[in-house]
Amino acid sequence: MHGRQKPVSTVTPQRDHPARKPTIGLALGGGGVRGLGHIPMLEVLDEMGIKPTIISGTSIGAIVGAAYASGIPARRIRAHAEAILRRRFDLVRQIFSARATPIQRVMNLLRLKSAVLRPDVLLELLMPPELARTFEELEIPLKIVAADILNYEGVVLDRGPLVPAVAASMALPALFTPVRHDGRLLLDGGLVNPLPFDVITGKADVIIAIDVSGISDPADQTRDPTALEALVAASQLLQHSIVRERLKSSQPDVYIDLPVAAFGMLDLHKHREILAAADGAKQHFRRQIERVMAAPTLIAEA
C-alpha cells in the first residue's frame, strides 16, 4: 500500500527580502536663471514617486536643491518661483531705492561702498518660508559646491546653516559679494564645478545629472556688451567648458542637457519661456530614468 502523496504546493515561494529599489542621487547644475529648468525635472521625479537619497547642487542648482531637499514639492517650488518673478520689477525697484526707504532688510542688500548685492540677504527675501534653516533639518542630504577664492579650490558644504552655503554657491563675482562662511571666503561654485555629479558618485545606485550650462546665442550681436554682460558671458563659457571636460572622463547614469541655451543667465524676464522649454524635455527625461531603472544590472543588484 502506497503512502499518501504530499500535495503539490501552488504557492510561489517568497523571497526572504523584497527587492530593494535602486537609490537615486541627483546633481543640479549652475547656469543662472536658466536653472529654473530644474523644476520641471523635479516634477517628473515627483510624478514617478522617486525620492532622491542625496542631492548635490551648484549656484541655482544649490538654490533649487535646497528647496527640494527641504521637502518642498516641485510644483510648490514652481508656484513660488513664478510668483516671485512676476513681481521682479517691484523687487528691483525696492532694492535700488532702499537707501530712501525705512526697509532695513532691503538696505542690507547693498554695500554702500561698492553697491554690490549681498546674496545671503537676497536669498532671505526670495526663498520659500518652508526652507530648512540648517543642513541637519533637511529631509534629503544635500551637498553644495562653492569656490574658496583664498585657497584656490572647490569646497563642498554639507553641515551647519543652510542659507550662507547656498549664498556662497550663487555668488557670481562682481554681481554678488563673496560670502565668509566657516572660515573661508567663498564665491560661485560654477567657477570650479558647475555640474557636481562627481560629488555624489558612489553614494547612490543611480546618479542623475541635470545640465543647464549651455552657451546662449545673444540676440543682439551688433553692439558691444556691457561690463556685466561680458562678465556673465565669460562665466557662462567657463562653466560650459568645465562641464564638457568633466563629461569626457566620467558620465552619470542619466544625463540631460536641458534646451535652455537660448536664454541668458540673467534673463529673469523670460522665466516663463525657460520653464516651457524645460517642460518640453519632461518625457525624454522620464524615458531615460525608466530605461536606467529597468537595466538588468540594477535589477540584479537590487
Side-chain angles (χ1 to χ4, degrees):
M1 182 174 179
H2 298 288
R4 181 184 297 176
Q5 292 183 341
K6 293 182 180 180
V8 177
S9 174
T10 59
V11 178
T12 303
Q14 298 293 317
R15 295 177 61 175
D16 291 338
H17 301 286
R20 178 180 64 84
K21 290 184 178 180
T23 56
I24 303 294
L26 177 65
L28 304 176
V33 72
R34 292 175 303 175
L36 291 172
H38 291 313
I39 299 173
M41 302 303 103
L42 300 183
E43 290 175 346
V44 171
L45 296 181
D46 285 351
E47 291 161 7
M48 297 180 72
I50 293 174
K51 182 176 181 179
T53 55
I54 191 166
I55 299 173
S56 62
T58 294
S59 196
I60 193 166
I63 297 173
V64 176
Y68 198 57
S70 293
I72 304 174
R75 288 200 174 275
R76 160 67 180 142
I77 296 173
R78 182 196 283 253
H80 180 80
E82 289 182 321
I84 288 292
L85 290 169
R86 277 197 301 268
R87 302 196 304 268
R88 65 189 180 278
F89 296 120
D90 289 338
L91 179 64
V92 170
R93 191 180 308 112
Q94 193 177 30
I95 290 171
F96 287 99
S97 65
R99 298 182 195 182
T101 72
I103 307 175
Q104 186 63 44
R105 196 170 177 213
V106 179
M107 285 180 68
N108 287 336
L109 284 166
L110 297 175
R111 293 182 61 185
L112 299 184
K113 290 183 179 179
S114 61
V116 175
L117 299 176
R118 280 185 53 186
D120 55 337
V121 183
L122 181 62
L123 279 175
E124 292 285 1
L125 289 173
L126 298 181
M127 294 298 277
E130 307 98 310
L131 186 76
R133 307 311 298 177
T134 68
F135 281 93
E136 290 74 18
E137 295 173 7
L138 293 169
E139 290 191 8
I140 303 172
L142 174 66
K143 293 183 179 294
I144 290 176
V145 174
D148 184 331
I149 59 175
L150 298 182
N151 294 304
Y152 303 108
E153 63 183 4
V155 296
V156 177
L157 308 171
D158 58 6
R159 61 179 60 89
L162 183 61
V163 167
V166 177
S169 187
M170 64 171 276
L172 185 69
L175 182 59
F176 294 108
T177 58
V179 174
R180 291 194 178 276
H181 180 64
D182 200 22
R184 297 175 181 267
L185 191 62
L186 304 175
L187 278 175
D188 185 7
L191 299 171
V192 290
N193 195 348
L195 186 60
F197 62 89
D198 59 308
V199 170
I200 55 174
T201 296
K203 300 183 183 301
D205 299 320
V206 175
I207 302 298
I208 297 172
I210 303 174
D211 187 4
V212 291
S213 68
I215 298 293
S216 60
D217 182 19
D220 182 3
Q221 300 184 13
T222 62
R223 63 172 179 82
D224 292 334
T226 65
L228 179 59
E229 288 171 339
L231 176 68
V232 170
S235 175
Q236 205 168 317
L237 174 60
L238 174 65
Q239 293 190 31
H240 183 74
S241 299
I242 292 173
V243 171
R244 299 279 81 73
E245 287 301 313
R246 286 179 180 260
L247 288 172
K248 290 179 182 178
S249 59
S250 62
Q251 292 273 338
D253 300 290
V254 174
Y255 168 78
I256 184 163
D257 185 0
L258 289 183
V260 293
F263 308 101
M265 293 178 69
L266 300 181
D267 281 348
L268 293 174
H269 61 292
K270 296 182 179 179
H271 64 275
R272 292 187 184 88
E273 293 93 329
I274 294 170
L275 286 167
D279 282 336
K282 291 176 77 170
Q283 287 305 315
H284 175 61
F285 184 53
R286 179 189 291 268
R287 286 194 296 270
Q288 282 203 60
I289 295 173
E290 289 173 341
R291 174 180 53 79
V292 170
M293 296 289 278
T297 52
L298 274 180
I299 295 173
E301 290 172 2

